[in-house]
Amino acid sequence: MGRSCSECGNWCTNSSFSRNQWMKGDGYSRCKDCVSGYSQQEYSAPITYQCGQCYRNFNSQNELNMHMQVHRPRTVSCPICGEQRFRTGANAVQHVESGHCSGCRGQDNARRQIYEYARRQQSMKPFLNGTPLLTNGGYNDGVPDFPYQCPQCAKSFRHASQLMQHQDQKHNNSRMRLGY
């Protein structure tokens, strides 16, 4: 069993793909060599990816994409305490979820508040998991274990910030907001 790599076009066995890449499906998955930055057609030097702003080199496109976040301006404010020091909405929500926001102390309390807020927002309906995943007796503090779901690929998330980061990095949707 195998498929063609979407990047290099070579036919590869399923062991040439990571589980994550294999699950993306035929026409979307990249072989391990392409993910790591090595071309299967050329075994000499690895392909490098360079940042156009600071000229650092990276081994994969994913590493470069992750690095590019450091060049974003810190213009996003926390929806609770108003502190403006975040590069993305996901970072601001992560600040609240961590329990470090002065307006919403405690991780469990913050997680519950964000979930309840998201449930009330019409714009968040497509991102809420319709079927709660019950584990070890069900809900933790009134919130399903994985209440958020990506509408594009159906991946589930425990925290809203994880979904927002996923949307930004995997689907180029950095505008996803919780409605604040």
Side-chain angles (χ1 to χ4, degrees), residues 17-82:
F17 296 91
S18 68
R19 186 178 190 286
N20 183 40
Q21 288 294 323
W22 184 261
M23 297 301 290
K24 289 182 179 181
D26 198 16
Y28 298 98
S29 48
R30 298 183 304 153
C31 67
K32 290 178 181 176
D33 287 337
C34 289
V35 169
S36 67
Y38 290 93
S39 170
Q40 278 191 322
Q41 297 167 353
E42 307 169 17
Y43 286 102
S44 55
I47 299 170
T48 58
Y49 300 84
Q50 189 175 61
C51 174
Q53 294 185 9
C54 68
Y55 306 108
R56 283 185 58 191
N57 290 316
F58 298 91
N59 294 324
S60 70
Q61 182 67 48
N62 188 51
E63 287 179 21
L64 174 60
N65 292 345
M66 297 296 286
H67 162 76
M68 291 306 292
Q69 294 179 38
V70 304
H71 296 299
R72 288 181 178 176
R74 294 178 182 261
T75 58
V76 179
S77 301
C78 171
I80 308 294
C81 68

Side-chain angles (χ1 to χ4, degrees), residues 121-136:
Q121 300 302 310
Q122 190 63 32
S123 63
M124 284 296 294
K125 296 286 186 220
F127 300 99
L128 294 176
N129 193 344
T131 54
L133 302 174
L134 304 177
T135 59
N136 296 332

Side-chain angles (χ1 to χ4, degrees), residues 18 41 44 59 84 88 142 149 155 167:
S18 68
Q41 297 167 353
S44 55
N59 294 324
Q84 184 179 352
T88 66
Q149 186 174 40
K155 185 172 181 177
Q167 283 281 300

